[in-house]
Amino acid sequence: MKTIAIIGGGITGVTTAYALAKRGFDVTLLEKHRYAAMETSFANGGQLSASNAEVWTHWSTILKGIKWMLKSDAPLLVNPKPSWHKLSWFAEFIGSIPSYQKNTIETARLAIAAREHLYAWAEAEGLDFDLKKEGILHIYRDKAGFDHAGTVSQLLAKGGLERRAVTPEEMRAIEPTLAGNYYGGYFTQSDSTGDIHKFTHGLALAAIRLGAKCLYGQDVRGVTTDGRQAHVSIGQGDAVQTQTFDAVVICAGTASRALAAQLGDRVNIYPVKGYSITVNLLDAQSQASAPVVSLLDDETKLVTSRLGDDRLRVAGTAEFNGYNRDIRADRIRPLVEWVNECFPGVSTRSVVPWAGLRPMMPNMMPKVGRGSSPCVFYNTGHGHLGWTLSAVTADMIGDVVLESMGRPAPITQPIPA
């Protein structure tokens, strides 16, 4: 049986481990934390959002970044301090602008396919992750934003997504708790939300039942290949040991760039920081006043997800500031203020802040496929849609590995614990 190492235990690593275990491979997942999904997959916005498939490679993104560069609470913040990594990434980002429409359509198509995979896996494994199939409502405060959304809707439709324009009156009927004045909105009934951390943890246990080994507390110090096998150096304290596998799949988020360089590949991922708050709904009034339908506020670039009865997740913003993981008060404050403004009946007395680094490719498309060596593969660089796209890209890389490494007998039923 072919042995496959997967580096990274976030949503892409765990879905990849599950997909490969189902195909009959001897899978070893290596994760540096004590548990799965402890970094970018810990507290994201929660949306499984084909309706958010529009890629960012548009001239308006560049203009907004310049406009907001010195505004610390802006939805998009770029640290002006230059680095070769940042400059090369933005150069490729600009070079990808002509592919904006094509990549938006393709992302929508992938997101729709991913949804069906994820639902099927969750049902098969009995995963409880606060799934809500209540749709996503995009809200707009002015005509310009609403009109742009209409143009985007045409691209999403080419990818197979149905969403409809709604009036302010229809918006209030869809989500009665939303306060404020709006020009209009777009509603995608087929979108959903859920807790990415709970899902990833549950799927990791399912992968183990299928025979995968999920090894936590494993600090990968390096990875090399001789073209036939991959050699992974793992450190635990001062001790370092090297393990050999028939293949390796890099699913390491923002660390993927450095690992790819060791393997002779260029995967120009940049860490784009996002923030979230989890509002604990501690009283009946807050629970009644918090939205059930997920929202995306295009002006502030914030999203919401209702996680169970007693949690509201609000997330968003984008910060280009290197590998900095600091949780800044001036970036968290706008999220809390947004809740106070849009949902005044919700108490923000108990708020848990968080920040994570999205692994973004310059063209906003994930890196899924072979490396330059025949035993190296990648499933990484999903940016702000890792949760949304994870199930389909895991299935895609599963087929690529299967084709490249031979065809072991697939496991069709979970192995009893």
Side-chain angles (χ1 to χ4, degrees), residues 117-190:
H117 284 76
L118 186 141
Y119 291 165
W121 292 353
E123 183 177 358
E125 302 297 345
L127 303 184
D128 175 13
F129 59 103
D130 295 325
L131 175 65
K132 286 189 183 300
K133 297 181 179 181
E134 300 288 345
I136 293 178
L137 175 63
H138 288 225
I139 62 177
Y140 300 93
R141 291 175 170 80
D142 56 41
K143 184 177 185 300
F146 182 81
D147 288 347
H148 177 73
T151 302
V152 173
S153 287
Q154 296 176 23
L155 298 177
L156 299 179
K158 291 180 180 180
L161 184 71
E162 294 183 10
R163 74 172 187 171
R164 61 186 175 92
V166 291
T167 65
E169 293 73 22
E170 290 173 312
M171 291 168 61
R172 284 189 283 271
I174 292 168
E175 184 44 72
T177 65
L178 177 63
N181 297 315
Y182 301 93
Y183 183 87
Y186 274 85
F187 184 57
T188 309
Q189 181 69 58
S190 59

Side-chain angles (χ1 to χ4, degrees), residues 234-281:
I234 304 165
Q236 293 177 302
D238 294 331
V240 178
Q241 60 174 339
T242 299
Q243 296 186 25
T244 298
F245 301 89
D246 293 314
V248 62
V249 187
I250 307 299
C251 304
T254 58
S256 299
R257 176 175 176 264
L259 292 171
Q262 296 176 26
L263 292 164
D265 295 317
R266 186 173 184 273
V267 180
N268 195 16
I269 285 172
Y270 192 87
V272 181
K273 190 194 297 185
Y275 292 84
S276 79
I277 57 173
T278 302
V279 183
N280 293 314
L281 307 173

Side-chain angles (χ1 to χ4, degrees), residues 29-246:
L29 182 142
L30 303 168
E31 165 57 39
K32 68 179 180 180
H33 292 288
R34 290 182 63 190
Y35 315 100
M38 293 303 293
E39 288 198 7
T40 308
S41 301
F42 184 74
N44 76 346
Q47 290 188 335
L48 293 161
S49 52
S51 60
N52 197 21
E54 180 190 13
V55 297
W56 298 4
T57 47
H58 195 276
W59 281 112
S60 63
T61 307
I62 300 293
L63 296 176
K64 288 174 182 176
I66 295 172
K67 174 184 174 182
W68 290 332
M69 190 169 289
L70 299 179
K71 188 179 180 183
S72 65
D73 61 351
L76 173 62
L77 182 64
V78 180
N79 185 334
K81 183 178 180 180
S83 71
W84 172 247
H85 185 192
K86 189 188 299 181
L87 292 172
S88 69
W89 191 93
F90 273 111
E92 291 183 47
F93 179 94
I94 292 171
S96 299
I97 288 176
S99 300
Y100 160 79
Q101 293 190 6
K102 176 176 69 71
N103 287 345
T104 294
I105 294 168
E106 176 64 9
T107 302
R109 187 189 67 79
L110 288 172
I112 293 168
R115 175 194 297 157
E116 303 311 316
H117 284 76
L118 186 141
Y119 291 165
W121 292 353
E123 183 177 358
E125 302 297 345
L127 303 184
D128 175 13
F129 59 103
D130 295 325
L131 175 65
K132 286 189 183 300
K133 297 181 179 181
E134 300 288 345
I136 293 178
L137 175 63
H138 288 225
I139 62 177
Y140 300 93
R141 291 175 170 80
D142 56 41
K143 184 177 185 300
F146 182 81
D147 288 347
H148 177 73
T151 302
V152 173
S153 287
Q154 296 176 23
L155 298 177
L156 299 179
K158 291 180 180 180
L161 184 71
E162 294 183 10
R163 74 172 187 171
R164 61 186 175 92
V166 291
T167 65
E169 293 73 22
E170 290 173 312
M171 291 168 61
R172 284 189 283 271
I174 292 168
E175 184 44 72
T177 65
L178 177 63
N181 297 315
Y182 301 93
Y183 183 87
Y186 274 85
F187 184 57
T188 309
Q189 181 69 58
S190 59
D191 276 344
S192 59
T193 58
D195 187 322
I196 187 174
H197 181 77
K198 290 177 70 173
F199 177 88
T200 308
H201 171 72
L203 197 68
L205 296 178
I208 292 170
R209 291 195 295 270
L210 289 171
K213 296 180 284 294
C214 294
L215 305 182
Y216 300 110
Q218 308 294 310
D219 186 12
V220 174
R221 304 286 180 85
V223 57
T224 60
T225 178
D226 57 13
R228 294 176 294 104
Q229 292 179 310
H231 311 286
V232 183
S233 298
I234 304 165
Q236 293 177 302
D238 294 331
V240 178
Q241 60 174 339
T242 299
Q243 296 186 25
T244 298
F245 301 89
D246 293 314

